[in-house]
Amino acid sequence: MKSKQITTEDKFNNKWGFVISCIGSSVGMANIWLFPYRAGEFGGAAFLIPYIIFVVLIGFTGVIGEMAFGRAMQSGPLGAFKKAYEMKGSKLGTFIGLIPVIGSLGIAIGYSVIIGWILKFLMDSITGEIVSKEDPAIVFSELSRDFGSIPWHLLGLFLVLLCMSFGVARGIEKVNRIMMPAFFVLFLFLAVRVAFLDGSAPGYSYLFKPDWSEMANPRTWVYAMGQAFFSLSLAGSGTVVYGSYLKSDVDIVSSAKYVSFFDTLAALLAGLVIIPAVFSFGMEPNSGPGLLFITIPGVIRAIPFGRIFAIIFFLAVLFAGITSLMNLLESPVEALQKRLGWSRRLSIAFVGIVTAAVGIFVEGGLLSAWMDSISIYVIPLGALLAGITMFWVCGDKFARNAAQLGRVHTIGKWFKPMTKYVFCGVAVLVYILGIFFGGIG
């Protein structure tokens, strides 16, 4: 039986389906459990200013570049890098293209474990146990111990793979069209409720009261750069593969603008929900899983109708997690389809088995080290290689024409210096400083 490969029909239906899917890929744990903490740690509004500067800079260079790279090559990273280097008579592209694919799969392996944790807390919210019986700290301790969440881990992964099995337009795009608007609506509802909590005012000060001295602190700029870079999902993988499913009449520059805006809005919205709620109950803001699975459930237990708010919160977080994990897994799935000619469902099954098997192994006390290693050494390297390949190897004319396709207005003279020099320079800094600081995003 002949394998069914990706066809020209298996693309996003239109610009908004593509934009919403890219927003879904970028809105994830970095927005929810890291951004609010970073903002407060580095001077509130004093952190927001460099963060927004880097979001604009990276959104109008790196995001555009990865979208255009995928569409121009009509392939995900493995095929895109191969074609780019073949244009220069080199066979290095296949090897280089493996790096972002491996990075995407590596992060997906760890992310699938976290999706399992979210599912468990959502189920406990639905049953009411998280607000009436169980201590969230004990539940999370049991989940995060060695091999403590295998059933939930596998269930979460299965749900994501099931959504992906319906294809690009009927699977990825449709799921994002439902989950991303729902995420914003649910978090907006929670933000309004939190604003009425007694004692929430210090939380807003923590987030938005500027400590201008922090702007003179180089670490503020380093971590703002890292937060923007990782939050926008630059890795030379997921955005490239989504770009390959994009029709030629879509304006990529405009699309990148919307993705950057809504990703930033998601981070701010998460901050408006989480930090004031934490301050309202006299708890210390922290980053990482502890914020999501211990501190926030502790807050929710003390709120009237806490069970309802717990369901809303973890459902919204689950939506963000699922849409991000779909993007991460799509890169290796697409590579198998294009490289080996496998059917989509066979590719998904194979990637799912690998993700599950390695994920169970990683559950044995290796999750934190695994995620740190991939996010520090592999993910930013993939983004850097994509930038170098698109803006240097393919050349100025190719890059400009790829980004201009589908756009009515001519891209300005800013494009070459900002992409070829500034973005690639930022990518080098992110990679080097990430290693130096042990992670900056």
Side-chain angles (χ1 to χ4, degrees), residues 117 120-121 124 129-130 132-146 148-149 152 289-290 292-295 297-298 301:
W117 297 348
K120 166 63 175 170
F121 272 79
D124 285 358
E129 293 193 10
I130 202 65
S132 60
K133 298 179 182 178
E134 299 172 330
D135 181 345
I138 294 175
V139 175
F140 182 62
S141 177
E142 289 294 311
L143 272 179
S144 57
R145 65 180 172 82
D146 292 358
S149 63
W152 296 103
L292 209 60
F293 299 107
I294 299 175
T295 307
R301 286 162 69 92

Side-chain angles (χ1 to χ4, degrees), residues 60-114:
F60 276 86
T61 54
V63 175
I64 290 173
E66 291 196 6
M67 289 177 175
F69 187 39
R71 183 171 67 177
M73 298 301 184
Q74 287 293 289
S75 178
L78 200 61
F81 280 90
K82 181 176 182 290
K83 291 178 181 179
Y85 281 86
E86 284 178 347
M87 289 165 54
K88 302 297 181 181
S90 172
K91 295 183 179 180
L92 284 174
T94 300
F95 169 74
I96 294 174
L98 279 172
I99 295 172
V101 174
I102 291 170
S104 188
L105 180 59
I107 286 293
I109 287 167
Y111 219 91
S112 64
V113 177
I114 297 170

